[in-house]
Amino acid sequence: GSRGIDWVGISKEGFVVTYGREDGSLCTFDVNGAMLACRRPVGEKLHALVFSEDGKVLLTGGSAKRVEWRWVHSLELASDGDRLGFEATHDGRCDFGHRAPCFGAPIRSLALSSQERHLMVGLENGQVYILAPDSNYLRQRLQRQLEYLGFY
């Protein structure tokens, strides 16, 4: 039978990505409509999907309180290639001993700043988190600001 599409996006490289909440399927197609990859089910109900600046990576967030970076062409977790050394998942569940920021509600929206310096995560409870994947950049910026203010 047919299934509903809740989200569709086109990457800069021309890949078409669809998500259907009903069966939890996240699929990638080429410009001719041939399916390249499909995850059924994706493992959680997704509410937020956004492409990286270069269009090669899809960020997703939803009911499981996780942000995941996936290669658009394969939908595999993006922890290799250009993203080697970066985490492919930010787990926002509030488990005991959790060090990263934990999210008290499901993810409803995601936005990337220019040059992907910051990831904004909007939650169902109204909270907004700003994550900085490149902490070195933030440290240098803070140091410059402190020096500008006269602190050394």
Side-chain angles (χ1 to χ4, degrees):
S2 66
R3 60 183 179 87
I5 301 292
D6 293 286
W7 184 86
V8 63
I10 301 173
S11 76
K12 285 186 177 180
E13 296 184 329
F15 294 112
V16 177
V17 180
T18 64
Y19 172 68
R21 198 170 289 133
E22 194 175 303
D23 65 352
S25 62
L26 183 65
C27 303
T28 297
F29 302 86
D30 68 15
V31 291
N32 297 316
M35 186 183 293
L36 302 175
C38 201
R39 299 272 172 258
R40 277 191 196 115
V42 78
E44 67 175 308
K45 194 171 281 196
L46 298 178
H47 301 296
L49 299 98
V50 65
F51 289 107
S52 62
E53 210 166 80
D54 64 7
K56 293 180 180 180
V57 177
L58 179 71
L59 285 79
T60 62
S63 58
K65 304 175 186 175
R66 274 193 319 261
V67 177
E68 292 185 330
W69 284 257
R70 295 179 178 275
W71 293 117
V72 170
H73 68 278
S74 68
L75 298 176
E76 296 289 331
L77 290 178
S79 56
D80 59 354
D82 293 345
R83 288 196 41 83
L84 190 64
F86 290 97
E87 292 292 321
T89 302
H90 174 87
D91 191 343
R93 291 174 302 164
C94 299
D95 295 339
F96 180 73
H98 202 271
R99 288 187 9 207
C102 76
F103 306 141
I107 298 168
R108 283 294 181 171
S109 61
L110 295 170
L112 278 170
S113 68
S114 68
Q115 300 176 345
E116 300 179 7
R117 296 256 190 237
H118 302 91
L119 171 65
M120 280 66 76
V121 181
L123 305 184
E124 192 172 87
N125 63 6
Q127 292 180 318
V128 175
Y129 284 82
I130 300 175
L131 307 178
D134 185 358
S135 58
N136 237 1
Y137 163 78
L138 280 183
R139 232 185 324 279
Q140 291 168 359
R141 192 169 151 196
L142 178 61
Q143 185 63 42
R144 279 195 307 271
Q145 186 63 28
L146 287 172
E147 288 171 6
Y148 174 77
L149 294 173
F151 298 97
Y152 294 96

